[in-house]
Amino acid sequence: MRTVEEHQAVVAGLLAPLPVEEVALAAAAGRVLARDLPALVSLPGFTNSAMDGYAARHAEVGGASEDSPVRLPVVEDVPAGRSDGPPLQPGTVHRIMTGAPVPDGADVIVPVERTDAATDVVTVTGSPAAGTHLRHAGEDIRAGELAMPAGTALGAAQLGLAAAVGYATVPVRRRPRVLVLSTGSELVEPGLPLAMGQIYESNSVLLAAAVTEAGGEARTLHFVPDDVDQFLATVRAELSWADVLVTSGGVSAGAYEVVKDAFRELGTVEFGKVAMQPGGPQGAGTVDGVPVITLPGNPVSSFVSFEVFVRPALRRALGHASPDRLRTAARLTAPLRSPAGRRQFLRGRFDGAVVDQVGGPGSHLVAHLARANCLVVVPEDVTELPEGAQVAVVLIEGALQ
């Protein structure tokens, strides 16, 4: 029986880093930077005003007050975007807008609120200290400095930075193409009538959504029958598109385990058990050179297996600097039991410093899974934990409120 870490290493070893492509910023949200990104320009690119007000010399306005105002002529208007402003001459001020270039000779911006806002001769009734309200060139980042390292996940702030330092496109790793296949002759498409012994097929929906959330592109194969020849023919007809095939079901120890039967004939996929619950039966290998990861068929087992093995491997192939989910610690609100020798992944609701278990350990409890926002991790050598014990929780998204 493999440990969780051993099987994680096997799965991770199947997926090589994906090719790099340049994409427009508008299409790069959620992608992962493939190379270091140096700043093409400094930010700010020039010293500019942080306020609407008047560019002045502090030596001339620093003593202004309500009782002793200073009156100076306004000789220039400097809106944002003006590039031809002259230097500030002694005994004068320039009316200036936020973001506009500060004229040479000015060392303070007097906010408009501390003046009478005149446009010809302004009355200054107070001034901040010298250097106040100036955004100095390069104080955020200088041209040539590292703006973002490879492995950065590109969200709104990161894409805004890329644009601000001069990039129209960014190098990212291609999204992994994941073929998702769920097996079982008992499966029926949602919305159709169910006969006795049939169930609605949900794993492909669950896994395809998980692939998308992890940064991949999913394609599903539905309702492949429990027949080895048909199964292999269907799979091979689609494999040329995929970077990886993820299956659910057909890997346990019983009869009619079509995934195990078909891939064992090829001899390129290894099946076994992992010391975890849920999700013990696992398989990994290749088919026609394409990586294959086989997951158990119960929905909770399939979800947990994806979270533990497939998601980090996909994100690592995408180049994420931190491919794993965020973890934290929390206190249990109730005692729990766990089987010896198995790492338990229980569904939970994390709320600040505490975590509630959601439902029981059964791998069929999909409604409870949908209400969880974390996985509570219980080590293999722990069989009982009291109320108030501290546990590790893996934060997941998508829980019902």
Side-chain angles (χ1 to χ4, degrees):
M1 187 176 292
R2 280 178 178 161
T3 67
V4 170
E5 288 77 14
E6 286 169 344
H7 196 63
Q8 283 176 327
V10 169
V11 172
L14 293 173
L15 276 71
L18 292 154
V20 177
E21 59 187 10
E22 287 279 337
V23 300
L25 294 185
R31 306 294 288 273
V32 182
L33 199 60
R35 293 190 291 268
D36 289 351
L37 213 66
L40 300 179
V41 298
S42 297
L43 294 180
F46 50 88
T47 300
N48 66 84
S49 176
M51 299 284 285
D52 292 337
Y54 297 85
R57 297 174 185 271
H58 188 264
E60 297 173 350
V61 297
S65 67
E66 293 283 352
D67 296 330
S68 181
V70 173
R71 290 170 54 83
L72 293 169
V74 181
V75 298
E76 292 287 341
D77 235 17
V78 190
R82 181 173 177 179
S83 59
D84 62 345
L88 179 68
Q89 298 300 320
T92 69
V93 296
H94 293 182
R95 192 171 69 142
I96 193 167
M97 305 300 134
T98 302
V102 174
D104 290 343
D107 61 359
V108 69
I109 304 298
V110 179
V112 67
E113 294 84 0
R114 301 180 77 170
T115 73
D116 64 354
T119 58
D120 49 357
V121 177
V122 66
T123 299
V124 179
T125 56
S127 172
T132 303
H133 304 316
L134 303 182
R135 300 166 175 166
H136 294 283
E139 71 175 43
D140 190 2
I141 189 170
R142 294 187 178 278
E145 291 181 347
L146 181 64
M148 288 179 283
T152 298
L154 297 173
Q158 292 76 28
L159 291 171
L161 173 59
V165 296
Y167 288 92
T169 64
V170 284
V172 297
R173 295 204 176 272
R174 178 173 59 74
R175 294 184 187 275
R177 295 187 290 255
V178 183
L179 190 62
V180 175
L181 183 152
S182 32
T183 62
S185 296
E186 77 279 15
L187 302 178
V188 175
E189 183 178 357
L192 298 179
L194 287 175
M196 177 61 67
Q198 294 181 325
I199 60 172
Y200 287 125
E201 198 281 310
S202 61
N203 278 6
S204 68
V205 175
L206 180 155
L207 292 173
V211 166
T212 301
E213 194 274 332
E217 179 183 351
R219 180 186 291 181
T220 56
L221 280 176
H222 291 289
F223 316 116
V224 179
D226 289 339
D227 177 89
V228 168
D229 292 335
Q230 289 187 52
F231 174 84
L232 283 176
T234 302
V235 167
R236 282 177 153 152
E238 301 289 340
L239 272 183
S240 61
W241 172 83
D243 295 306
V244 60
L245 168 66
V246 175
T247 71
S248 66
V251 296
S252 295
Y256 308 108
E257 302 294 348
V258 65
V259 175
K260 183 183 287 187
D261 293 342
F263 289 162
R264 267 186 171 167
E265 285 189 8
L266 300 180
T268 55
V269 178
E270 182 181 1
F271 296 91
K273 290 208 169 183
V274 176
M276 63 185 285
Q277 189 181 53
Q282 300 286 339
T286 62
V287 171
D288 299 343
V290 177
V292 173
I293 306 164
T294 69
L295 310 178
N298 277 316
V300 177
S301 297
S302 197
F303 175 83
V304 170
S305 298
F306 184 94
E307 283 289 319
V308 175
F309 302 118
V310 184
R311 187 180 190 275
L314 292 177
R315 285 169 59 84
R316 195 171 286 108
L318 276 165
H320 277 276
S322 301
D324 296 321
R325 292 278 196 193
L326 293 176
R327 287 182 172 236
T328 189
R331 296 189 314 276
L332 291 172
T333 59
L336 61 79
R337 294 178 178 271
S338 184
R342 301 284 193 277
R343 187 174 306 177
Q344 184 87 272
F345 293 90
L346 299 168
R347 278 67 69 202
R349 287 288 302 183
F350 173 72
D351 182 15
V354 299
V355 63
D356 301 309
Q357 186 176 339
V358 176
S363 56
H364 62 293
L365 302 175
V366 186
H368 292 102
L369 175 64
R371 292 181 174 88
N373 67 2
C374 71
L375 296 176
V376 179
V377 184
V378 184
E380 294 87 337
D381 59 350
V382 175
T383 58
E384 291 186 57
L385 287 170
E387 178 183 346
Q390 191 172 80
V391 291
V393 296
V394 179
L395 303 178
I396 58 176
E397 292 83 27
L400 295 176
Q401 298 303 310

